[in-house]
Protein backbone atom coordinates (compact mmCIF):
# COMPACT_ATOMS: atom_id res chain seq x y z
CA UNK A 1 0.00 0.00 0.00
CA UNK A 2 1.44 3.36 -1.00
CA UNK A 3 1.63 6.26 1.41
CA UNK A 4 -0.05 9.51 0.39
CA UNK A 5 1.93 12.72 0.57
CA UNK A 6 0.56 15.91 2.08
CA UNK A 7 -0.42 17.40 -1.28
CA UNK A 8 -2.43 14.30 -2.19
CA UNK A 9 -4.18 14.29 1.19
CA UNK A 10 -5.06 17.98 0.80
CA UNK A 11 -6.37 17.33 -2.72
CA UNK A 12 -8.58 14.50 -1.42
CA UNK A 13 -9.86 16.69 1.43
CA UNK A 14 -10.64 19.49 -1.02
CA UNK A 15 -12.61 17.11 -3.22
CA UNK A 16 -14.49 15.69 -0.23
CA UNK A 17 -15.31 19.07 1.31
CA UNK A 18 -16.04 20.70 -2.06
CA UNK A 19 -17.48 24.21 -1.80
CA UNK A 20 -17.49 23.95 2.00
CA UNK A 21 -13.71 24.31 1.97
CA UNK A 22 -14.13 27.84 0.60
CA UNK A 23 -16.36 29.12 3.45
CA UNK A 24 -15.17 27.55 6.71
CA UNK A 25 -16.20 30.58 8.76
CA UNK A 26 -19.81 30.32 7.57
CA UNK A 27 -19.93 26.64 8.48
CA UNK A 28 -18.45 27.28 11.92
CA UNK A 29 -20.88 30.16 12.52
CA UNK A 30 -23.86 28.12 11.37
CA UNK A 31 -22.72 25.21 13.52
CA UNK A 32 -22.50 27.43 16.60
CA UNK A 33 -25.95 28.90 15.84
CA UNK A 34 -27.49 25.42 15.55
CA UNK A 35 -25.81 24.29 18.78
CA UNK A 36 -27.15 27.34 20.64
CA UNK A 37 -30.65 26.78 19.22
CA UNK A 38 -30.41 23.09 20.15
CA UNK A 39 -29.45 23.94 23.74
CA UNK A 40 -32.35 26.39 23.94
CA UNK A 41 -34.60 23.64 22.59
CA UNK A 42 -33.40 21.12 25.18
CA UNK A 43 -34.08 23.68 27.92
CA UNK A 44 -37.48 24.67 26.52
CA UNK A 45 -38.89 21.52 24.96
CA UNK A 46 -42.54 22.54 25.29
CA UNK A 47 -41.83 25.92 23.65
CA UNK A 48 -39.96 24.20 20.80
CA UNK A 49 -42.84 21.74 20.36
CA UNK A 50 -45.36 24.58 20.06
CA UNK A 51 -43.11 26.50 17.66
CA UNK A 52 -42.66 23.38 15.51
CA UNK A 53 -46.41 22.77 15.26
CA UNK A 54 -46.94 26.40 14.22
CA UNK A 55 -44.22 26.09 11.58
CA UNK A 56 -45.96 22.93 10.36
CA UNK A 57 -49.15 25.01 10.06
CA UNK A 58 -47.29 27.62 8.00
CA UNK A 59 -45.98 24.94 5.62
CA UNK A 60 -49.41 23.35 5.28
CA UNK A 61 -51.04 26.70 4.56
CA UNK A 62 -48.37 27.69 2.03
CA UNK A 63 -48.67 24.28 0.37
CA UNK A 64 -52.43 24.66 0.14
CA UNK A 65 -52.23 28.15 -1.36
CA UNK A 66 -49.61 27.06 -3.91
CA UNK A 67 -51.68 23.98 -4.78
CA UNK A 68 -54.75 26.19 -5.33
CA UNK A 69 -52.80 28.64 -7.51
CA UNK A 70 -51.47 25.75 -9.58
CA UNK A 71 -54.97 24.27 -9.93
CA UNK A 72 -56.49 27.56 -11.13
CA UNK A 73 -53.66 28.06 -13.61
CA UNK A 74 -54.19 24.55 -15.02
CA UNK A 75 -57.66 25.06 -16.48
CA UNK A 76 -58.60 22.17 -18.74
CA UNK A 77 -56.46 19.66 -16.86
CA UNK A 78 -58.47 16.62 -15.76
CA UNK A 79 -57.11 16.72 -12.19
CA UNK A 80 -58.04 20.34 -11.39
CA UNK A 81 -60.84 19.22 -9.05
CA UNK A 82 -58.50 16.87 -7.19
CA UNK A 83 -55.85 19.60 -6.93
CA UNK A 84 -58.41 22.03 -5.47
CA UNK A 85 -59.52 19.36 -3.00
CA UNK A 86 -55.90 18.86 -1.90
CA UNK A 87 -55.48 22.63 -1.54
CA UNK A 88 -58.58 22.83 0.66
CA UNK A 89 -57.37 19.89 2.79
CA UNK A 90 -53.95 21.51 3.30
CA UNK A 91 -55.48 24.84 4.29
CA UNK A 92 -58.02 23.20 6.63
CA UNK A 93 -55.21 21.16 8.22
CA UNK A 94 -53.18 24.35 8.72
CA UNK A 95 -56.11 26.11 10.39
CA UNK A 96 -56.73 23.05 12.59
CA UNK A 97 -53.05 22.93 13.64
CA UNK A 98 -53.12 26.63 14.55
CA UNK A 99 -56.48 26.43 16.35
CA UNK A 100 -55.73 23.18 18.23
CA UNK A 101 -51.96 22.84 18.70
CA UNK A 102 -52.15 20.28 21.54
CA UNK A 103 -54.18 17.67 19.59
CA UNK A 104 -51.88 18.33 16.62
CA UNK A 105 -48.86 17.64 18.81
CA UNK A 106 -50.54 14.45 20.05
CA UNK A 107 -51.04 13.30 16.45
CA UNK A 108 -47.40 14.09 15.64
CA UNK A 109 -46.27 12.16 18.72
CA UNK A 110 -48.36 9.12 17.73
CA UNK A 111 -46.87 9.33 14.26
CA UNK A 112 -43.33 9.45 15.74
CA UNK A 113 -44.07 6.43 17.94
CA UNK A 114 -45.37 4.52 14.92
CA UNK A 115 -42.30 5.49 12.86
CA UNK A 116 -39.92 4.29 15.60
CA UNK A 117 -41.83 1.05 16.03
CA UNK A 118 -42.20 0.26 12.31
CA UNK A 119 -38.58 1.11 11.47
CA UNK A 120 -37.46 -1.04 14.40
CA UNK A 121 -39.46 -4.02 13.14
CA UNK A 122 -38.11 -3.52 9.61
CA UNK A 123 -34.55 -3.32 10.94
CA UNK A 124 -35.10 -6.58 12.83
CA UNK A 125 -36.21 -8.21 9.59
CA UNK A 126 -33.14 -6.79 7.81
CA UNK A 127 -30.87 -7.96 10.64
CA UNK A 128 -32.33 -11.47 10.42
CA UNK A 129 -31.82 -11.49 6.65
CA UNK A 130 -28.17 -10.42 7.07
CA UNK A 131 -27.35 -12.65 10.03
CA UNK A 132 -24.52 -14.31 8.08
CA UNK A 133 -22.58 -11.02 8.33
CA UNK A 134 -20.82 -10.39 11.62
CA UNK A 135 -22.24 -6.87 11.89
CA UNK A 136 -25.90 -7.99 11.87
CA UNK A 137 -25.86 -7.74 15.66
CA UNK A 138 -25.53 -3.93 15.51
CA UNK A 139 -28.51 -3.72 13.20
CA UNK A 140 -30.49 -5.84 15.65
CA UNK A 141 -29.48 -3.55 18.54
CA UNK A 142 -30.51 -0.50 16.49
CA UNK A 143 -33.85 -2.21 15.82
CA UNK A 144 -34.36 -2.96 19.51
CA UNK A 145 -33.61 0.67 20.44
CA UNK A 146 -36.10 1.95 17.84
CA UNK A 147 -38.83 -0.36 19.12
CA UNK A 148 -38.02 0.61 22.70
CA UNK A 149 -38.30 4.30 21.75
CA UNK A 150 -41.72 3.67 20.22
CA UNK A 151 -42.87 1.80 23.34
CA UNK A 152 -41.52 4.51 25.69
CA UNK A 153 -43.28 7.24 23.69
CA UNK A 154 -46.56 5.33 23.89
CA UNK A 155 -46.06 4.64 27.62
CA UNK A 156 -45.93 8.37 28.35
CA UNK A 157 -48.60 9.37 25.86
CA UNK A 158 -50.30 11.91 25.81
CA UNK A 159 -48.05 13.87 28.22
CA UNK A 160 -45.01 13.14 26.03
CA UNK A 161 -46.65 15.01 23.16
CA UNK A 162 -45.92 18.34 24.86
CA UNK A 163 -42.17 17.87 25.08
CA UNK A 164 -41.09 15.05 22.74
CA UNK A 165 -41.35 16.82 19.33
CA UNK A 166 -39.42 19.80 20.71
CA UNK A 167 -36.76 17.56 22.25
CA UNK A 168 -36.26 15.62 19.00
CA UNK A 169 -35.93 18.86 17.03
CA UNK A 170 -33.45 20.19 19.61
CA UNK A 171 -31.38 16.99 19.41
CA UNK A 172 -31.38 17.21 15.60
CA UNK A 173 -30.20 20.85 15.81
CA UNK A 174 -27.41 19.86 18.20
CA UNK A 175 -26.24 16.99 15.99
CA UNK A 176 -26.39 19.13 12.86
CA UNK A 177 -24.61 21.98 14.66
CA UNK A 178 -21.73 19.80 15.82
CA UNK A 179 -21.45 18.26 12.34
CA UNK A 180 -21.26 21.69 10.69
CA UNK A 181 -18.79 22.90 13.32
CA UNK A 182 -16.41 19.97 12.74
CA UNK A 183 -16.72 20.29 8.94
CA UNK A 184 -15.98 24.02 9.29
CA UNK A 185 -12.87 23.33 11.40
CA UNK A 186 -11.72 20.71 8.86
CA UNK A 187 -12.28 23.19 6.02
CA UNK A 188 -10.39 25.93 7.88
CA UNK A 189 -7.51 23.54 8.57
CA UNK A 190 -7.46 22.57 4.89
CA UNK A 191 -7.47 26.22 3.81
CA UNK A 192 -4.49 26.92 6.09
CA UNK A 193 -2.57 23.90 4.73
CA UNK A 194 -3.26 24.84 1.11
CA UNK A 195 -2.16 28.46 1.65
CA UNK A 196 1.21 27.38 3.11
Amino acid sequence: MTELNTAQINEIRTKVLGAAAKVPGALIGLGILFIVLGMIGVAGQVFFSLVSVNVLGIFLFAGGVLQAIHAFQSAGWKSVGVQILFAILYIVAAIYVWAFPIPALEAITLWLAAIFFVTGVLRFIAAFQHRHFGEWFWLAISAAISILMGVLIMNNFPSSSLWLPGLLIAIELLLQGWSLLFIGFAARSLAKNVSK
Side-chain angles (χ1 to χ4, degrees), residues 55-65 87 89-91 93-95 97-98:
V55 169
L56 174 65
I58 291 168
F59 284 134
L60 287 169
F61 189 81
V65 168
L89 287 174
Y90 279 133
I91 292 170
I95 293 168
V97 163
W98 288 329

Side-chain angles (χ1 to χ4, degrees), residues 27 31 35 173-185:
L27 290 173
I35 290 169
L173 284 170
L174 284 170
L175 293 173
Q176 185 68 17
W178 283 109
S179 298
L180 288 172
L181 191 65
F182 287 131
I183 290 170
F185 285 144

Side-chain angles (χ1 to χ4, degrees), residues 4-113:
L4 297 174
N5 63 32
T6 306
Q8 290 170 322
I9 291 172
N10 285 339
E11 183 182 346
I12 292 169
R13 284 183 181 164
T14 302
K15 287 180 181 176
V16 169
L17 289 172
K22 298 175 184 169
V23 286
L27 290 173
I28 291 169
L30 200 56
I32 290 170
L33 175 65
F34 279 18
I35 290 169
V36 168
L37 287 173
M39 289 189 308
I40 291 170
V42 168
Q45 299 156 3
V46 174
F47 172 74
F48 250 49
S49 292
L50 293 172
V51 166
S52 67
V53 82
N54 280 305
V55 169
L56 174 65
I58 291 168
F59 284 134
L60 287 169
F61 189 81
V65 168
L66 291 174
Q67 189 91 24
I69 291 169
H70 179 264
F72 287 120
Q73 289 178 344
S74 303
W77 187 34
K78 291 182 180 179
S79 298
V80 170
V82 174
Q83 298 300 318
I84 291 172
L85 181 62
F86 278 132
I88 291 168
L89 287 174
Y90 279 133
I91 292 170
V92 167
I95 293 168
Y96 177 82
V97 163
W98 288 329
F100 306 103
I102 303 301
L105 280 172
E106 289 173 356
I108 290 169
T109 304
L110 285 176
W111 179 76
L112 288 170

